Coordinates of all heavy atoms in Angstrom, one line a residue:
Q1 N 0.8 -1.1 0.1 CA 0.0 0.0 0.0 C 0.8 1.3 -0.1 O 0.4 2.2 -0.5 CB -0.8 0.0 1.2 CG -2.3 -0.4 0.9 CD -3.2 -0.1 2.2 OE1 -2.8 0.5 3.1 NE2 -4.4 -0.5 2.0
G2 N 2.0 1.2 0.7 CA 2.8 2.3 0.8 C 3.3 2.9 -0.6 O 3.3 4.1 -0.8
S3 N 3.7 2.0 -1.5 CA 4.2 2.4 -2.8 C 3.1 2.9 -3.7 O 3.2 3.8 -4.6 CB 5.0 1.3 -3.5 OG 4.2 0.3 -3.8
G4 N 2.0 2.3 -3.5 CA 0.7 2.8 -4.3 C 0.3 4.1 -3.9 O -0.1 5.0 -4.7
D5 N 0.4 4.5 -2.7 CA 0.1 5.8 -2.1 C 1.0 6.8 -2.8 O 0.7 8.0 -3.1 CB 0.0 6.0 -0.6 CG -1.1 5.2 -0.1 OD1 -2.1 4.9 -0.8 OD2 -1.0 4.8 1.1
Y6 N 2.4 6.4 -2.8 CA 3.4 7.2 -3.3 C 3.2 7.5 -4.8 O 3.3 8.7 -5.2 CB 4.7 6.6 -3.1 CG 5.9 7.4 -3.8 CD1 6.3 8.6 -3.2 CD2 6.5 7.0 -4.9 CE1 7.3 9.4 -3.8 CE2 7.4 7.7 -5.6 CZ 7.9 8.8 -4.9 OH 9.0 9.6 -5.5
M7 N 2.7 6.5 -5.5 CA 2.5 6.8 -7.0 C 1.3 7.7 -7.2 O 1.3 8.4 -8.1 CB 2.3 5.4 -7.7 CG 3.5 4.5 -7.7 SD 4.9 5.3 -8.5 CE 4.5 5.1 -10.2
N8 N 0.3 7.5 -6.4 CA -0.9 8.4 -6.5 C -0.6 9.8 -6.2 O -1.0 10.8 -6.8 CB -2.0 7.9 -5.5 CG -2.7 6.7 -6.1 OD1 -2.7 6.3 -7.2 ND2 -3.3 6.0 -5.0
E9 N 0.3 10.0 -5.2 CA 0.7 11.4 -4.8 C 1.5 12.0 -6.0 O 1.4 13.1 -6.3 CB 1.6 11.4 -3.5 CG 0.8 11.1 -2.3 CD 1.6 11.0 -1.1 OE1 2.8 11.2 -1.1 OE2 1.2 10.6 0.0
K10 N 2.4 11.2 -6.6 CA 3.2 11.6 -7.7 C 2.4 12.0 -8.9 O 2.7 13.0 -9.4 CB 4.2 10.4 -8.0 CG 5.3 10.8 -8.9 CD 6.4 11.4 -8.1 CE 7.7 11.4 -9.0 NZ 8.7 12.3 -8.4
S11 N 1.4 11.2 -9.2 CA 0.5 11.5 -10.4 C -0.3 12.7 -10.1 O -0.5 13.5 -11.0 CB -0.4 10.3 -10.8 OG -1.3 10.1 -9.7
D12 N -0.6 13.0 -8.8 CA -1.4 14.2 -8.4 C -0.5 15.4 -8.6 O -0.9 16.5 -9.1 CB -1.8 14.1 -7.0 CG -3.1 13.1 -6.8 OD1 -3.7 12.8 -7.9 OD2 -3.3 12.8 -5.7
E13 N 0.8 15.3 -8.2 CA 1.7 16.5 -8.4 C 1.9 16.7 -9.9 O 2.1 17.8 -10.3 CB 3.1 16.1 -7.7 CG 3.0 16.1 -6.2 CD 4.3 15.8 -5.6 OE1 5.3 15.6 -6.3 OE2 4.3 15.4 -4.4
T14 N 2.0 15.7 -10.7 CA 2.2 15.8 -12.2 C 1.0 16.5 -12.8 O 1.2 17.4 -13.6 CB 2.4 14.5 -12.9 OG1 3.5 13.8 -12.2 CG2 2.6 14.7 -14.3
K15 N -0.2 16.1 -12.3 CA -1.4 16.8 -12.9 C -1.5 18.2 -12.4 O -1.9 19.1 -13.1 CB -2.6 16.1 -12.3 CG -3.0 14.7 -13.0 CD -4.1 14.0 -12.4 CE -4.2 12.6 -12.9 NZ -5.5 12.0 -12.3
K16 N -1.0 18.5 -11.2 CA -1.0 19.9 -10.7 C 0.0 20.7 -11.5 O -0.3 21.8 -11.9 CB -0.7 20.0 -9.3 CG -1.8 19.5 -8.3 CD -1.4 19.6 -6.9 CE -2.5 19.1 -6.0 NZ -2.1 19.1 -4.5
G17 N 1.2 20.1 -11.8 CA 2.1 20.8 -12.6 C 1.6 21.1 -14.0 O 1.9 22.2 -14.5
K18 N 1.0 20.2 -14.6 CA 0.5 20.4 -16.0 C -0.7 21.5 -15.9 O -0.8 22.3 -16.8 CB -0.1 19.2 -16.6 CG 1.0 18.2 -17.0 CD 0.4 16.9 -17.7 CE 1.5 16.0 -17.9 NZ 1.1 14.7 -18.6
K19 N -1.5 21.4 -14.9 CA -2.6 22.3 -14.8 C -2.1 23.7 -14.6 O -2.5 24.7 -15.3 CB -3.4 21.8 -13.6 CG -4.8 22.6 -13.6 CD -5.7 22.0 -12.5 CE -7.1 22.6 -12.6 NZ -8.0 22.1 -11.6
S20 N -1.1 23.8 -13.8 CA -0.5 25.2 -13.6 C 0.2 25.8 -14.8 O 0.1 26.9 -15.1 CB 0.5 25.2 -12.3 OG 1.6 24.5 -12.6
I21 N 0.8 24.9 -15.6 CA 1.5 25.4 -16.8 C 0.4 25.8 -17.8 O 0.5 26.9 -18.4 CB 2.2 24.3 -17.5 CG1 3.5 24.1 -16.5 CG2 2.7 24.6 -18.8 CD1 4.4 22.8 -17.0
A22 N -0.6 25.0 -17.9 CA -1.8 25.5 -18.8 C -2.5 26.7 -18.3 O -2.8 27.6 -19.1 CB -2.8 24.4 -18.8
L23 N -2.6 26.8 -17.0 CA -3.2 28.1 -16.4 C -2.3 29.3 -16.7 O -2.9 30.3 -17.0 CB -3.5 27.9 -14.9 CG -4.3 28.9 -14.2 CD1 -5.6 28.9 -14.9 CD2 -4.4 28.6 -12.7
K24 N -1.1 29.2 -16.6 CA -0.1 30.2 -16.8 C -0.3 30.6 -18.3 O -0.2 31.8 -18.6 CB 1.3 29.9 -16.5 CG 1.5 29.8 -15.0 CD 3.0 29.4 -14.7 CE 3.2 29.3 -13.3 NZ 4.6 28.9 -13.0
A25 N -0.3 29.6 -19.2 CA -0.4 30.0 -20.6 C -1.7 30.6 -20.9 O -1.8 31.7 -21.7 CB -0.3 28.7 -21.5
L26 N -2.8 30.2 -20.3 CA -4.2 30.9 -20.5 C -4.1 32.3 -20.0 O -4.6 33.2 -20.6 CB -5.1 30.0 -19.8 CG -6.6 30.7 -19.8 CD1 -7.1 30.6 -21.3 CD2 -7.5 29.9 -19.0
N27 N -3.5 32.5 -18.8 CA -3.4 33.8 -18.2 C -2.6 34.8 -19.0 O -3.0 35.9 -19.3 CB -2.8 33.8 -16.8 CG -3.8 33.3 -15.9 OD1 -4.9 33.3 -16.0 ND2 -3.2 32.9 -14.7
K28 N -1.5 34.3 -19.7 CA -0.7 35.0 -20.6 C -1.5 35.5 -21.8 O -1.4 36.6 -22.3 CB 0.5 34.2 -21.0 CG 1.5 35.0 -21.8 CD 2.7 34.2 -22.1 CE 3.7 34.9 -22.9 NZ 4.9 34.1 -23.3
N29 N -2.3 34.5 -22.4 CA -3.2 34.8 -23.5 C -4.2 35.9 -23.2 O -4.5 36.8 -23.9 CB -3.9 33.6 -24.0 CG -2.9 32.7 -24.7 OD1 -2.0 33.2 -25.4 ND2 -3.2 31.5 -24.9
V30 N -4.8 35.8 -22.0 CA -5.8 36.8 -21.5 C -5.1 38.1 -21.4 O -5.7 39.1 -21.9 CB -6.4 36.3 -20.1 CG1 -7.2 37.4 -19.6 CG2 -7.3 35.0 -20.5
Y31 N -3.9 38.2 -20.8 CA -3.2 39.4 -20.7 C -2.9 40.1 -22.1 O -3.1 41.3 -22.2 CB -2.0 39.4 -19.9 CG -2.3 39.0 -18.4 CD1 -1.5 38.2 -17.7 CD2 -3.3 39.8 -17.7 CE1 -1.8 37.9 -16.3 CE2 -3.5 39.5 -16.4 CZ -2.8 38.6 -15.7 OH -3.0 38.4 -14.4
I32 N -2.5 39.2 -23.0 CA -2.1 39.8 -24.4 C -3.4 40.3 -25.0 O -3.4 41.5 -25.5 CB -1.6 38.7 -25.2 CG1 -0.2 38.3 -24.7 CG2 -1.6 39.0 -26.7 CD1 0.4 37.0 -25.4
W33 N -4.6 39.7 -25.0 CA -5.7 40.2 -25.6 C -6.4 41.3 -24.8 O -6.9 42.2 -25.4 CB -6.9 39.0 -25.7 CG -6.6 38.1 -26.9 CD1 -6.0 36.9 -26.9 CD2 -6.8 38.5 -28.2 NE1 -5.9 36.5 -28.2 CE2 -6.4 37.3 -29.1 CE3 -7.4 39.6 -28.9 CZ2 -6.5 37.4 -30.4 CZ3 -7.5 39.6 -30.3 CH2 -7.0 38.5 -31.0
A34 N -6.2 41.3 -23.5 CA -6.7 42.5 -22.7 C -5.8 43.8 -23.1 O -6.4 44.8 -23.2 CB -6.5 42.1 -21.3
G35 N -4.6 43.6 -23.3 CA -3.7 44.6 -23.8 C -4.1 45.2 -25.1 O -4.2 46.4 -25.3
F36 N -4.4 44.3 -26.1 CA -4.9 44.6 -27.4 C -6.2 45.4 -27.4 O -6.3 46.4 -28.0 CB -5.1 43.4 -28.3 CG -5.8 43.7 -29.6 CD1 -5.1 44.4 -30.5 CD2 -7.1 43.4 -29.8 CE1 -5.8 44.7 -31.8 CE2 -7.7 43.6 -30.9 CZ -7.0 44.3 -32.0
F37 N -7.1 44.9 -26.5 CA -8.3 45.5 -26.3 C -8.2 46.9 -25.7 O -8.9 47.9 -26.2 CB -9.4 44.7 -25.5 CG -10.7 45.3 -25.3 CD1 -11.6 45.3 -26.4 CD2 -11.2 45.8 -24.1 CE1 -12.9 45.7 -26.2 CE2 -12.5 46.3 -23.9 CZ -13.3 46.2 -25.1
T38 N -7.4 47.1 -24.7 CA -7.2 48.4 -24.1 C -6.6 49.4 -25.1 O -7.0 50.5 -25.2 CB -6.2 48.3 -22.9 OG1 -6.8 47.3 -22.0 CG2 -6.0 49.5 -22.2
I39 N -5.6 48.9 -25.8 CA -5.0 49.9 -26.8 C -5.9 50.2 -27.8 O -6.0 51.4 -28.3 CB -3.7 49.2 -27.4 CG1 -2.6 49.1 -26.3 CG2 -3.1 49.9 -28.6 CD1 -1.4 48.3 -26.7
S40 N -6.7 49.3 -28.3 CA -7.7 49.6 -29.4 C -8.8 50.6 -28.9 O -9.2 51.4 -29.6 CB -8.3 48.3 -29.9 OG -9.1 47.7 -28.9
L41 N -9.1 50.5 -27.6 CA -10.1 51.5 -27.0 C -9.4 52.9 -27.0 O -10.1 53.8 -27.3 CB -10.5 51.1 -25.7 CG -11.5 50.0 -25.6 CD1 -11.9 49.6 -24.2 CD2 -12.9 50.4 -26.3
V42 N -8.2 52.9 -26.6 CA -7.5 54.2 -26.6 C -7.4 54.8 -28.0 O -7.7 56.0 -28.2 CB -6.1 54.1 -26.0 CG1 -5.2 55.3 -26.2 CG2 -6.2 53.7 -24.5
V43 N -7.0 54.0 -28.9 CA -6.9 54.5 -30.3 C -8.3 54.8 -30.8 O -8.5 56.0 -31.5 CB -6.4 53.3 -31.3 CG1 -6.5 53.7 -32.7 CG2 -5.0 53.1 -31.0
Y44 N -9.3 54.2 -30.5 CA -10.7 54.4 -30.9 C -11.1 55.9 -30.2 O -11.6 56.7 -31.0 CB -11.7 53.5 -30.4 CG -13.2 53.8 -30.7 CD1 -13.7 53.8 -32.0 CD2 -14.0 54.2 -29.7 CE1 -14.9 54.1 -32.2 CE2 -15.3 54.5 -29.9 CZ -15.8 54.6 -31.2 OH -17.2 54.9 -31.4
S45 N -10.9 56.1 -29.0 CA -11.3 57.4 -28.3 C -10.5 58.5 -28.9 O -10.9 59.6 -28.9 CB -11.1 57.2 -26.9 OG -9.8 57.1 -26.5
M46 N -9.2 58.3 -29.2 CA -8.3 59.5 -29.7 C -8.5 59.7 -31.2 O -8.5 60.9 -31.6 CB -6.9 59.2 -29.3 CG -6.7 59.2 -27.9 SD -5.0 59.0 -27.5 CE -4.6 60.0 -26.2
L47 N -8.6 58.7 -31.9 CA -8.5 59.0 -33.3 C -9.8 58.8 -34.2 O -9.9 59.2 -35.4 CB -7.4 58.0 -33.9 CG -6.0 58.2 -33.4 CD1 -5.1 57.1 -34.0 CD2 -5.5 59.6 -33.7
S48 N -10.8 58.1 -33.6 CA -12.0 57.8 -34.4 C -13.0 58.8 -34.3 O -13.2 59.5 -33.3 CB -12.5 56.4 -34.0 OG -13.7 56.1 -34.6
G49 N -13.8 59.0 -35.4 CA -14.9 59.8 -35.3 C -16.2 59.2 -34.8 O -17.3 59.8 -34.7
G50 N -16.1 57.8 -34.5 CA -17.2 57.1 -34.0 C -18.1 56.5 -35.1 O -19.2 56.2 -34.8
D51 N -17.6 56.5 -36.3 CA -18.4 56.0 -37.5 C -18.5 54.4 -37.4 O -17.7 53.8 -36.7 CB -17.8 56.4 -38.8 CG -17.9 57.8 -39.1 OD1 -18.8 58.5 -38.4 OD2 -17.1 58.4 -39.9
F52 N -19.5 54.0 -38.1 CA -19.6 52.5 -38.3 C -18.5 51.8 -38.8 O -18.1 50.6 -38.5 CB -21.0 52.3 -39.0 CG -21.2 50.7 -39.2 CD1 -21.7 49.9 -38.1 CD2 -20.9 50.1 -40.4 CE1 -21.9 48.6 -38.3 CE2 -21.2 48.8 -40.6 CZ -21.6 48.0 -39.5
S53 N -17.8 52.5 -39.7 CA -16.7 51.9 -40.4 C -15.5 51.5 -39.4 O -14.8 50.6 -39.8 CB -16.1 52.8 -41.5 OG -15.5 54.0 -40.8
F54 N -15.6 52.0 -38.3 CA -14.5 51.6 -37.3 C -14.7 50.2 -37.0 O -13.8 49.5 -36.6 CB -14.6 52.5 -36.1 CG -13.5 52.1 -35.1 CD1 -12.2 52.5 -35.3 CD2 -13.8 51.3 -33.9 CE1 -11.2 52.0 -34.4 CE2 -12.8 50.9 -33.0 CZ -11.6 51.3 -33.2
L55 N -15.9 49.7 -37.0 CA -16.2 48.2 -36.6 C -15.5 47.4 -37.6 O -14.9 46.3 -37.2 CB -17.7 48.0 -36.5 CG -18.3 48.5 -35.2 CD1 -19.9 48.2 -35.4 CD2 -17.7 47.8 -34.0
M56 N -15.5 47.7 -38.9 CA -15.0 46.9 -39.9 C -13.4 47.0 -39.8 O -12.8 45.9 -39.8 CB -15.3 47.4 -41.3 CG -16.8 47.1 -41.5 SD -17.4 47.4 -43.1 CE -16.4 48.5 -43.9
T57 N -13.0 48.1 -39.4 CA -11.5 48.2 -39.2 C -11.0 47.6 -38.0 O -10.0 46.9 -37.9 CB -11.1 49.8 -39.1 OG1 -11.6 50.5 -40.2 CG2 -9.6 50.0 -38.9
Y58 N -11.8 47.6 -36.9 CA -11.4 46.9 -35.7 C -11.5 45.4 -35.9 O -10.6 44.6 -35.3 CB -12.5 47.3 -34.6 CG -12.1 46.7 -33.3 CD1 -11.0 47.0 -32.5 CD2 -12.9 45.6 -32.7 CE1 -10.8 46.4 -31.3 CE2 -12.7 45.0 -31.6 CZ -11.6 45.4 -30.8 OH -11.3 44.8 -29.6
G59 N -12.4 44.9 -36.7 CA -12.5 43.4 -37.0 C -11.3 43.0 -37.7 O -10.7 42.0 -37.4
A60 N -10.9 43.8 -38.7 CA -9.7 43.4 -39.4 C -8.4 43.5 -38.5 O -7.5 42.6 -38.6 CB -9.4 44.4 -40.6
M61 N -8.4 44.4 -37.6 CA -7.2 44.6 -36.7 C -7.2 43.4 -35.8 O -6.1 42.8 -35.5 CB -7.3 45.9 -35.9 CG -6.9 47.1 -36.7 SD -7.1 48.7 -35.8 CE -7.2 48.4 -34.2
S62 N -8.3 42.9 -35.3 CA -8.3 41.9 -34.2 C -8.0 40.6 -35.0 O -7.3 39.7 -34.4 CB -9.7 41.8 -33.6 OG -10.7 41.5 -34.5
R63 N -8.4 40.4 -36.2 CA -8.1 39.2 -37.0 C -6.5 39.1 -37.2 O -5.9 38.2 -37.1 CB -8.8 39.3 -38.3 CG -9.4 37.9 -38.7 CD -10.2 37.9 -40.0 NE -10.4 39.2 -40.7 CZ -11.6 39.8 -40.7 NH1 -12.5 39.4 -40.0 NH2 -11.6 41.0 -41.3
M64 N -6.1 40.3 -37.6 CA -4.5 40.4 -37.8 C -3.7 40.1 -36.6 O -2.7 39.5 -36.6 CB -4.2 41.8 -38.4 CG -2.8 42.0 -38.7 SD -2.4 43.7 -39.0 CE -2.6 44.4 -37.4
F65 N -4.3 40.7 -35.4 CA -3.6 40.5 -34.1 C -3.6 39.1 -33.8 O -2.6 38.4 -33.4 CB -4.2 41.2 -33.1 CG -3.5 41.3 -31.8 CD1 -2.4 42.0 -31.6 CD2 -4.1 40.6 -30.7 CE1 -1.7 41.9 -30.3 CE2 -3.4 40.6 -29.5 CZ -2.2 41.2 -29.3
G66 N -4.7 38.3 -33.9 CA -4.8 36.9 -33.6 C -4.0 36.0 -34.5 O -3.3 35.1 -34.1
F67 N -3.8 36.4 -35.8 CA -3.1 35.6 -36.7 C -1.6 35.9 -36.4 O -0.8 34.9 -36.5 CB -3.4 36.1 -38.2 CG -2.7 35.2 -39.2 CD1 -3.1 33.9 -39.4 CD2 -1.7 35.7 -40.0 CE1 -2.5 33.2 -40.3 CE2 -1.1 34.9 -41.0 CZ -1.5 33.7 -41.1
G68 N -1.3 37.1 -35.9 CA 0.1 37.3 -35.5 C 0.6 36.6 -34.4 O 1.7 36.1 -34.3
I69 N -0.4 36.5 -33.3 CA -0.1 35.7 -32.1 C 0.1 34.3 -32.5 O 1.0 33.6 -32.0 CB -1.2 35.8 -31.1 CG1 -1.2 37.3 -30.5 CG2 -1.1 34.7 -30.1 CD1 -2.4 37.4 -29.6
L70 N -0.7 33.7 -33.4 CA -0.5 32.3 -33.9 C 0.7 32.1 -34.6 O 1.4 31.1 -34.2 CB -1.7 32.0 -34.9 CG -1.7 30.6 -35.4 CD1 -2.0 29.6 -34.3 CD2 -2.8 30.4 -36.5
N71 N 1.2 33.0 -35.4 CA 2.5 32.9 -36.0 C 3.6 32.9 -35.0 O 4.5 32.1 -35.1 CB 2.7 34.0 -37.1 CG 1.9 33.8 -38.3 OD1 1.7 32.7 -38.7 ND2 1.6 34.8 -39.0
V72 N 3.6 33.8 -34.1 CA 4.7 33.9 -33.0 C 4.7 32.6 -32.3 O 5.8 32.1 -32.1 CB 4.5 35.2 -32.1 CG1 5.4 35.1 -31.0 CG2 4.6 36.4 -32.9
K73 N 3.5 32.1 -31.8 CA 3.6 30.9 -31.0 C 4.1 29.6 -31.8 O 4.8 28.8 -31.3 CB 2.2 30.7 -30.5 CG 1.8 31.5 -29.3 CD 0.5 31.2 -28.8 CE 0.2 32.2 -27.6 NZ -0.9 31.6 -26.9
T74 N 3.7 29.6 -33.1 CA 4.1 28.6 -33.9 C 5.6 28.6 -34.2 O 6.2 27.5 -34.0 CB 3.4 28.6 -35.4 OG1 2.0 28.6 -35.1 CG2 3.8 27.4 -36.1
F75 N 6.2 29.7 -34.5 CA 7.6 29.8 -34.7 C 8.4 29.7 -33.4 O 9.5 29.1 -33.4 CB 8.0 31.2 -35.4 CG 7.7 31.2 -36.8 CD1 6.6 32.1 -37.3 CD2 8.3 30.4 -37.7 CE1 6.4 32.2 -38.6 CE2 7.9 30.4 -39.0 CZ 7.0 31.3 -39.5
K76 N 7.9 30.1 -32.2 CA 8.6 29.9 -31.0 C 8.6 28.4 -30.6 O 9.6 27.9 -30.1 CB 7.9 30.7 -29.9 CG 8.4 32.1 -29.8 CD 7.6 32.8 -28.6 CE 8.6 33.1 -27.5 NZ 7.9 33.8 -26.4
S77 N 7.5 27.7 -30.7 CA 7.4 26.3 -30.4 C 8.0 25.4 -31.4 O 8.3 24.2 -31.2 CB 6.0 25.9 -30.1 OG 5.2 25.9 -31.2
E78 N 8.2 25.9 -32.7 CA 8.7 25.2 -33.8 C 7.8 23.9 -34.1 O 8.3 22.9 -34.6 CB 10.1 24.7 -33.6 CG 11.1 25.9 -33.5 CD 12.5 25.5 -33.2 OE1 12.8 24.3 -33.0 OE2 13.4 26.4 -33.2
R79 N 6.5 24.0 -33.7 CA 5.5 23.0 -34.0 C 4.3 23.6 -34.4 O 3.9 24.7 -34.0 CB 5.3 22.1 -32.8 CG 6.4 21.3 -32.3 CD 5.9 20.4 -31.1 NE 6.1 21.3 -30.0 CZ 5.2 21.4 -29.0 NH1 4.2 20.6 -29.0 NH2 5.3 22.2 -28.0
A80 N 3.5 23.0 -35.4 CA 2.2 23.5 -35.7 C 1.1 22.6 -35.4 O 0.1 22.6 -35.9 CB 2.2 23.7 -37.3
S81 N 1.5 21.7 -34.4 CA 0.3 20.7 -34.0 C -0.6 21.5 -33.2 O -0.4 22.4 -32.4 CB 0.9 19.7 -33.0 OG 1.6 20.2 -31.9
G82 N -1.9 21.2 -33.5 CA -3.1 21.7 -32.8 C -3.6 23.0 -33.5 O -4.5 23.6 -33.1
V83 N -3.0 23.4 -34.7 CA -3.4 24.6 -35.4 C -4.7 24.2 -36.2 O -5.6 25.0 -36.1 CB -2.4 25.1 -36.3 CG1 -2.8 26.2 -37.2 CG2 -1.1 25.6 -35.5
S84 N -4.7 23.0 -36.7 CA -5.9 22.7 -37.5 C -6.2 21.2 -37.2 O -5.4 20.5 -36.5 CB -5.8 22.8 -38.9 OG -4.9 22.0 -39.5
V85 N -7.3 20.7 -37.6 CA -7.7 19.3 -37.4 C -6.7 18.4 -38.0 O -6.4 17.3 -37.5 CB -9.2 19.0 -37.8 CG1 -9.5 17.6 -37.6 CG2 -10.1 20.0 -37.1
K86 N -6.2 18.7 -39.2 CA -5.3 17.8 -40.0 C -3.9 17.7 -39.5 O -3.2 16.9 -39.8 CB -5.3 18.3 -41.4 CG -6.7 18.2 -42.1 CD -6.7 18.6 -43.5 CE -8.0 18.6 -44.2 NZ -7.9 18.9 -45.6
T87 N -3.5 18.7 -38.6 CA -2.1 18.6 -38.1 C -1.9 18.1 -36.8 O -2.8 18.2 -35.9 CB -1.5 20.1 -38.2 OG1 -2.2 20.9 -37.4 CG2 -1.3 20.6 -39.5

C-alpha cells in the first residue's frame, strides 16, 4: 500500500504541474488580448470619429492580431500541432 500511495501522490503532483502550466499559458493569452483591447479602445477614443466603419477596421485589426499571435507561437514552439484538425 505504501508504494501505491506514493504513486498516487506523484501523479497528483504531475497533474497539478500540468494544470498550472496550462493556467499560466491561459493567463498570458488573456493578458495579451486584454492589452490589445485596451490599446484599441485608446486608439478609438483618440483617433476615431465614431463611425460604423470603425467596426470593420477593428474586426480586421483583431483578426490580424490573432493571426500574428498564432504565427509567433508557432515559430517559438517550432511545431504546428493543434493549429488545425489535420495537423
Side-chain angles (χ1 to χ4, degrees):
Q1 258 192 7
S3 65
D5 291 338
Y6 174 74
M7 293 302 282
N8 288 338
E9 289 175 10
K10 192 83 164 164
S11 67
D12 288 343
E13 289 175 11
T14 305
K15 288 178 185 177
K16 287 179 185 177
K18 287 182 181 180
K19 192 173 187 178
S20 66
I21 291 171
L23 190 58
K24 285 180 185 178
L26 178 65
N27 285 341
K28 188 176 179 182
N29 286 337
V30 169
Y31 289 139
I32 289 171
W33 278 102
F36 170 75
F37 184 68
T38 303
I39 290 170
S40 64
L41 282 178
V42 169
V43 168
Y44 175 75
S45 65
M46 292 181 140
L47 301 177
S48 177
D51 290 340
F52 176 74
S53 65
F54 180 77
L55 287 177
M56 295 186 336
T57 305
Y58 182 73
M61 285 176 17
S62 61
R63 218 176 2 251
M64 179 191 68
F65 186 74
F67 190 66
I69 289 174
L70 180 66
N71 282 332
V72 167
K73 287 184 177 190
T74 302
F75 284 116
K76 273 180 111 174
S77 69
E78 297 179 354
R79 289 180 282 136
S81 61
V83 173
S84 70
V85 177
K86 294 181 181 180
T87 57

